[in-house]
Amino acid sequence: MRSIRLWAAACLAALLTGCAPKQEVNPICSGTIWPDDQGVHVNAHGGGVLYHEGVYYWYGENKSDTTSNAMVGVMCYSSPNLTDWKNEGVALAVEKNDTASDIVQGCIIERPKVIYNEQTKKFVMWFHLELKGQGYGAARSAVAISDTPVGPFRYIGSGRVNLSRLPFDMTDEQKAILDTLDAAHYPVEWTPEWRKAVEEGLFLKRDLPGGQMARDMQLFVDDDGKAYHIYSSEENMTMQIAELSDDYLSHTGKYTRMAAGGMNEAPALFKHKNTYWMITSGCTGWAPNEARMFSAPSIWGPWTQHPNPCVGPKSEITFGGQSTFVLPVPGKQDTTYIFMADIWRPEHPSDARYIWLPIQFKADGTPVIEWKEQWTLN
Ligand code: DGJ
């Protein structure tokens, strides 16, 4: 009886004011300022979201006003509903005093992702690390660990990936070609011959002794609990997908190459109805470009490229953004997959914005991403 009265009062108020009763769920408005619980724009760029025990944790790069280098570290925000965000502080802090540390203030920390290990009960963070003063030359992967989702994470170490290992699925024929590759044969880059050699593994071979390069990255935990590290490698020319150890703290040595020579960055991976989907960008620095999409029946491939999943105005530049993550959100009837991207602002990095859009699926299962000024997660 009381609820009927309340409902009637709400309808009367709506009639008198001429607007619908206030929605309980806040809309998601891409490209705008997203205030946290302190009214400050969320500072978690190139990030990803972990759902743990009823709470969403959003991890991302803290960007300062004047530089994209890491002055603070990796931020963590928490939310019960994906729209109200509490600033949980710095999950992984840069080292301020120890100039010998890999993660000394002024290094580059990009695209941090956190996964939870059910066996060890630890939260494991991986990120792309560039050593201070070395531009993007180091191309390392770094790992940190925590007992709690909000941290503080303890930095473990960094390095190149899978030293002295060849992709597990390289055929004898491919290995024979790799044997013949020699950088001295290609004094000029970007020729068709050079590109062919890059596709065949010119940089992979070069990096065997020191390990494979790993820049823009993603983590993916499959239904069986196995985790994978997906990263732009081989001078950003080729993606690699590598298996992580059971504790998620190292690489097992098993990896494959994907889209060889295709120049992909910003990988975002998800699984929908037993198909693995990967959305990436091209390589144009901070400037947006057209998203690419791939699918495979297994994480190990074979990966097939599809047309750009974005549709509508500015779809040819990913609506001005660059992919960072796809979050599956289980709902009452179905799971919503949220495509997350960054609108970078290199002249004022902390003012970078976020694009979050629902992924729709065509009848044949192909994902489609359509721009929406605002939408609501029900
Ligand atoms: C594009 C990458 O996706 C970003 O993470 C960042 O590394 C920029 N390039 C730097 O130009």
Side-chain angles (χ1 to χ4, degrees), residues 2 17 19 26 42 52 114 122 136 141 157-159 180 182-183 205 218 227 241 246 263 266-267 290 309 316 342 355:
R2 189 165 175 269
T17 57
C19 60
N26 291 324
V42 171
H52 185 73
V114 173
K122 303 281 185 199
Y136 279 84
S141 293
S158 74
T180 68
D182 182 348
K205 181 177 178 182
Q218 188 59 250
I241 301 173
D246 286 347
M263 299 180 75
E290 187 172 67
E316 72 290 355
D342 299 281
I355 295 175

Side-chain angles (χ1 to χ4, degrees), residues 39 48 76 105 115 162 164 171 178 184 204 210 246 256 269 271 280 292 303 320 325 329 349-350 352 355 371:
C76 177
Q105 191 175 47
I115 50 181
N162 286 329
S164 308
T171 63
L178 196 73
L204 177 140
D246 286 347
T256 190
L269 198 93
K271 190 176 179 182
T280 66
R292 292 108 178 258
W303 289 90
F325 198 72
V329 183
S350 62
I355 295 175
W371 175 260

Side-chain angles (χ1 to χ4, degrees), residues 110-111 136 216 265 285-286 322:
E110 287 183 344
R111 299 183 178 271
Y136 279 84
D216 279 13
E265 282 193 320
W286 300 112
Q322 187 184 28

